[in-house]
């Protein structure tokens, strides 16, 4: 399954919508996604599964790529 992760680049950064980054991770669960990103010290705001029509929509964007972790 593919998850979309919304995050700030540093753990000390306060979440601000305009400064939020996102990435796509392939994992079995939200917990596994968090474990895969634990060493990066991101301030993870939200993780959501991307499936079906939503996944197809996201794949149409040129900046779509699944991170290898």
């Amino acid at each position: 399954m593919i998850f979309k992760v919304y995050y700030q680049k540093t753990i000390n950064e306060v979440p601000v919508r305009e400064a939020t980054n996102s990435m796509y991770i392939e994992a079995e669960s939200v917990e596994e996604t968090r474990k895969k990103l634990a060493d990066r010290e991101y301030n993870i705001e939200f993780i959501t599964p991307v499936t079906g029509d939503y996944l197809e929509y996201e794949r149409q964007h040129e900046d779509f790529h699944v991170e290898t972790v």
Side-chain angles (χ1 to χ4, degrees):
M1 179 175 266
I2 296 177
F3 291 89
K4 186 171 186 178
V5 180
Y6 297 90
Y7 68 97
Q8 306 295 317
K9 289 188 178 184
T10 64
I11 196 78
N12 298 325
E13 198 170 330
V14 177
V16 177
R17 182 184 318 164
E18 293 79 14
T20 298
N21 298 293
S22 64
M23 72 169 71
Y24 301 92
I25 301 290
E26 189 166 357
E28 294 296 319
S29 66
V30 171
E31 292 80 13
E32 182 182 342
T33 303
R34 288 188 181 277
K35 287 178 184 177
K36 286 183 172 186
L37 296 174
D39 64 330
R40 296 193 183 189
E41 297 185 8
Y42 290 152
N43 183 2
I44 297 174
E45 294 179 45
F46 188 68
I47 300 174
T48 186
V50 182
T51 59
D53 291 339
Y54 182 40
L55 178 58
E56 291 308 313
Y57 173 78
E58 291 291 335
R59 283 188 175 156
Q60 293 175 10
H61 292 90
E62 61 188 47
D63 61 341
F64 177 85
H65 72 280
V66 178
E67 293 280 328
T68 304
V69 181

